[in-house]
Amino acid sequence: MSMSSDQPAAIPARIDHPVKRVFKEFVEDRVAVLGLALFVIVAVIAIAAPWLAPQDPYALAQLDIMDGGLPPGEQSFGTGQTYWLGTDTQGRDMLSAIMYGLRISLVVAFVSLGIAISIGVIVGVAAAYFGGRFDAFVMRIVDLQLSFPAILIALILLALFGRGVDKVILALVIVQWAYYARTVRSSAIVERRKDYIDAARCLALSHRRIMFRHLLPNCVPPLIVVATVQIAQAIALEATLSFLGVGVPITEPSLGLLIANGYDYLLSGRYWISLFPGIALVLTIIGLNLVGDRLRDVLNPRLQK
Amino acid sequence: MIVYLIRRFGQSLLAIAAMAVLVFLGVYAIGNPVDVLINPEATQAEIAATTERLGLDKPLYEQFGIFVVNMFQGDLGTSFVFGRPAMDVILDRLPATMELAMVALILSVGIGVPLGVWAGLRPDSIAGRTIMGGSILGFSLPNFWQGMLLILVFAVLLGWLPAGGRGTTTEFLGMQVSFLTLDGLSHMILPAINLALFKMSLIIRLTRANTREVVLQDYVKFARAKGISSRRVVMVHILKNIMIPVITIIGLELGSMVAFAIVTETVFAWPGMGKLLIDSINLLDRPVIVAYLMLTVLIIVSINLFVDILYSILDPRVRLSEMKG
């Protein structure tokens, strides 16, 4: 990679900015691009739901109980609008309900991601930088937590907190911070021994500045990979918790809760109430997993060309 | 080695103790079970009597003291709902969960390892890519929704398999099991597949990654150069070397399988511990929740301990680095 200084004659090939290189390599894989496109579409739908949805699924005045349980493609008895994905038992347009549900699912996942990453990064970098007892203590907690399945911990926390969007977010943060702390710590501990950190120390920069301006930027690639995988996990976990009845409240149904609502009607053949929210959920998760898979290859220094 | 064992054992005890405190404090904070249990028209005196009978009138530290002392005697309290010792209630349901987890584990290893090796040997072939694509799908399908799809297709649309329950059980080694009767087996197929698919995807990916690394090793090239049949190279030289990490993961995943079974059991109305936990959370049956958690923690911690010790026997480097650190 680096040219030795006594050969100035050979002009190195232009080295792209790392972000540009990652982008270039990322788009080489068509499946990954498809995954990214999938996720972008889902995100746009979620953000624009109030403008895109044919109906506000939670304005009760707009619902007509006469339209309850219509299969996909049927028309409303009252307004004549077509329910492309059918209706639930209260006459709610499933397409609209899914768009709004997607919003809640994504908000829960991304807010918890943001908080968990912040906590994980601070704790992880500090543990690697200071080492010693603090490091041992923090990593013991991380190990202890990660030795138990995430779903078990989240389930218990929510049984304790009760239902609510904020409570689900809190539970997801508690479950997830440890992954980020461990990831950041393991790369930071390698970086810490490098010369540029010693150099920064010699300049008598503050600990905070060394940690976050020098150490952290070099720990970002593995963090991105873990974050893509974890966000997909968070979406699935939230849906599972809501399905089990300990997640979001009935007034703010995420995709998981929509699926749970349809569960009772599955055996009577009204499959669409559960099927379509599930497809939306799966497409979101698959999109993120495909992106994460490719990023893992692109950002892995051992596989770099 | 002894030092390592003692140290590792101490860590496990510490983990269990930490969880006991957390579980107790956590569960104590969940609502007041008396409200749920008692007739809403009960008089104040009746409420007080029930509270006293359940020991809920004592201060928190005293309740915790009683909890710890009783725990060492294998007594985790009496279920508010069933009126029987919580541990008995859980142990009644344990065989159903264990049976499901074991069958799912066998399925995921029996299918996952061969597929993973196949995909690892030919990563760019159509089969290899299909297997990897399938494993991404297996990773991405939320477990509960995947179970509902299985019910929709095989129980509702095709009508081949039952949608829930455990079917006829028979006595086997003093436990009620399903896998010995045809009816029980037919009830078990869907939940077992549902529980297995996620782990199978994990094992496929792990096996594939390891196979790809091992194939490039000199000893594999050398074995090929010696003219050993490729069948033998795969079965002996490759498989043996990928099995250590795979076995570790399998061991660790067995514990999480018990936890994951919560979802599968709920979807398929499988009468195991996981379904009991969800029911108990809804009914605020504290002793059963605590008993479930303590038992699961014990299972997971013991499996982790066992796998670690096994690993340190297989690979002395682990032991040495652990002793230094």
Side-chain angles (χ1 to χ4, degrees):
Chain A
M1 286 279 276
S2 65
M3 306 287 294
S4 56
S5 53
D6 52 6
Q7 291 179 302
I11 297 167
R14 257 189 63 137
I15 296 168
D16 287 333
H17 188 270
V19 175
K20 200 172 165 190
R21 177 191 70 80
V22 166
F23 181 76
K24 259 187 181 167
E25 281 185 34
F26 182 86
V27 295
E28 276 171 24
D29 186 23
R30 273 195 216 148
V31 182
V33 174
L34 187 77
L36 185 62
L38 207 57
F39 177 70
V40 169
I41 293 171
V42 166
V44 168
I45 290 176
I47 292 167
W51 299 280
L52 289 177
Q55 170 191 86
D56 180 357
Y58 303 104
L60 293 174
Q62 286 189 27
L63 301 184
D64 187 349
I65 198 77
M66 286 288 290
D67 289 347
L70 289 180
E74 288 281 321
Q75 285 178 342
S76 165
F77 291 104
T79 59
Q81 82 175 101
T82 308
Y83 296 122
W84 294 110
L85 300 182
T87 60
D88 69 5
T89 45
Q90 293 167 16
R92 183 171 290 134
D93 175 35
M94 282 315 292
L95 181 63
S96 311
I98 290 170
M99 287 176 169
Y100 276 80
L102 210 51
R103 265 166 100 86
I104 295 163
S105 293
L106 290 185
V107 163
V108 168
F110 277 91
V111 171
S112 66
L113 170 89
I115 304 173
I117 262 196
S118 315
I119 298 174
V121 160
I122 294 171
V123 172
V125 171
Y129 183 73
F130 293 116
R133 287 239 173 111
F134 177 67
D135 184 33
F137 175 70
V138 168
M139 284 306 121
R140 208 31 49 96
I141 296 177
V142 167
D143 285 345
L144 180 67
Q145 198 189 320
L146 292 183
S147 64
F148 296 102
I151 179 145
L152 191 68
I153 298 175
L155 195 64
I156 294 316
L157 289 173
L158 283 169
L160 218 145
F161 301 154
R163 292 172 90 146
V165 171
D166 50 341
K167 287 158 187 156
V168 177
I169 291 176
L170 181 60
L172 289 182
V173 169
I174 296 177
V175 166
Q176 290 185 304
W177 76 275
Y179 292 97
Y180 300 114
R182 193 172 62 174
T183 309
V184 172
R185 182 212 175 239
S186 64
S187 42
I189 219 155
V190 176
E191 294 292 327
R192 191 192 56 175
R193 301 201 185 98
K194 293 193 178 164
D195 290 342
Y196 69 89
I197 298 294
D198 287 340
R201 279 211 176 120
C202 292
L203 288 173
L205 299 178
S206 72
H207 288 315
R208 215 172 81 184
R209 179 151 176 191
I210 300 177
M211 279 194 287
F212 295 109
R213 298 289 289 279
H214 296 252
L215 206 48
L216 183 59
N218 290 295
C219 307
V220 165
L223 197 60
I224 294 176
V225 175
V226 172
T228 1
V229 177
Q230 279 301 314
I231 190 85
Q233 296 275 355
I235 294 173
L237 189 56
E238 180 275 321
T240 307
L241 293 166
S242 297
F243 174 78
L244 291 173
V246 292
V248 296
I250 305 169
T251 46
E252 289 164 283
S254 65
L255 292 175
L257 196 57
L258 290 177
I259 297 171
N261 290 339
Y263 177 67
D264 296 332
Y265 305 101
L266 191 67
L267 291 180
S268 63
R270 288 189 205 154
Y271 62 89
W272 58 89
I273 306 177
S274 290
L275 183 69
F276 295 124
I279 290 176
L281 184 63
V282 170
L283 289 179
T284 314
I285 298 174
I286 288 184
L288 285 167
N289 279 345
L290 290 175
V291 172
D293 235 34
R294 182 66 188 159
L295 280 179
R296 195 197 336 262
D297 289 347
V298 175
L299 293 174
N300 186 346
R302 270 179 291 177
L303 295 178
Q304 259 169 38
K305 289 178 232 168
Chain B
M1 186 68 194
I2 302 262
V3 175
Y4 173 74
L5 277 182
I6 293 173
R7 224 180 131 137
R8 193 63 195 71
F9 198 71
Q11 281 173 14
S12 301
L13 284 182
L14 203 69
I16 293 174
M19 286 309 274
V21 174
L22 289 178
V23 162
F24 180 80
L25 287 179
V27 173
Y28 185 85
I30 308 178
N32 183 358
V34 177
D35 296 344
V36 185
L37 288 170
I38 210 160
N39 183 344
E41 284 158 27
T43 62
Q44 204 59 43
E46 281 173 322
I47 293 176
T50 314
T51 312
E52 203 184 320
R53 182 167 59 79
L54 299 174
L56 295 170
D57 55 339
K58 301 194 176 82
L60 183 58
Y61 63 88
E62 213 177 310
Q63 286 194 39
F64 183 66
I66 296 170
F67 167 72
V68 172
V69 170
N70 287 342
M71 192 168 64
F72 279 108
Q73 300 169 342
D75 173 13
L76 286 165
T78 307
S79 161
F80 298 156
V81 174
F82 296 89
R84 296 171 46 215
M87 212 58 204
D88 289 3
V89 176
I90 294 280
L91 289 178
D92 275 357
R93 303 285 197 101
L94 183 65
T97 297
M98 280 320 213
E99 186 185 14
L100 188 63
M102 288 311 290
V103 172
L105 190 70
I106 292 168
L107 278 180
S108 50
V109 175
I111 300 173
V113 171
L115 287 182
V117 171
W118 184 282
L121 290 175
R122 299 176 187 75
D124 293 319
S125 68
I126 293 177
R129 284 171 164 266
T130 315
I131 292 170
M132 280 312 279
S135 85
I136 288 195
L137 196 67
F139 243 60
S140 302
L141 286 177
N143 206 253
F144 66 99
W145 189 69
Q146 168 190 298
M148 289 166 73
L149 277 190
L150 290 174
I151 292 180
L152 181 66
V153 173
F154 293 101
V156 179
L157 296 180
L158 297 173
W160 290 351
L161 294 165
R166 206 180 167 195
T168 320
T169 55
T170 44
E171 181 109 352
F172 177 73
L173 298 177
M175 292 181 299
Q176 292 293 319
V177 295
S178 296
F179 72 93
L180 290 177
T181 63
L182 209 58
D183 183 51
L185 263 184
S186 74
H187 279 82
M188 194 192 262
I189 294 175
L190 290 184
I193 289 177
N194 192 47
L195 191 54
L197 275 177
F198 186 84
K199 301 292 170 204
M200 201 190 291
S201 309
L202 193 73
I203 291 175
I204 287 176
R205 295 168 77 87
L206 185 73
T207 319
R208 174 180 177 268
N210 281 318
T211 308
R212 284 188 72 178
E213 275 177 27
V214 170
V215 166
L216 301 175
Q217 300 288 321
D218 287 341
Y219 58 79
V220 172
K221 285 183 193 155
F222 186 68
R224 289 233 164 92
K226 256 190 351 187
I228 293 173
S229 73
S230 59
R231 193 189 141 95
R232 197 179 146 77
V233 171
V234 172
M235 297 305 279
V236 178
H237 294 86
I238 294 179
L239 210 55
K240 241 186 180 173
N241 282 290
I242 60 171
M243 274 332 258
I244 294 180
V246 170
I247 285 174
T248 318
I249 290 290
I250 291 170
L252 296 176
E253 291 299 324
L254 182 65
S256 79
M257 214 112 168
V258 175
F260 266 96
I262 298 170
V263 178
T264 299
E265 286 175 10
T266 307
V267 175
F268 290 92
W270 183 266
M273 300 196 300
K275 187 156 185 342
L276 182 67
L277 175 71
I278 297 292
D279 294 344
S280 303
I281 287 176
N282 289 330
L283 295 169
L284 297 183
D285 195 351
R286 276 191 213 165
V288 176
I289 302 177
V290 171
Y292 173 90
L293 289 177
M294 289 319 297
L295 188 66
T296 311
V297 165
L298 195 67
I299 292 174
I300 292 175
V301 169
S302 329
I303 290 174
N304 288 356
L305 179 65
F306 180 72
V307 171
D308 273 5
I309 291 175
L310 202 68
Y311 206 68
S312 75
I313 293 172
L314 292 176
D315 190 347
R317 281 171 302 180
V318 176
R319 188 163 74 224
L320 292 173
S321 76
E322 183 83 4
M323 274 164 74
K324 264 185 271 164

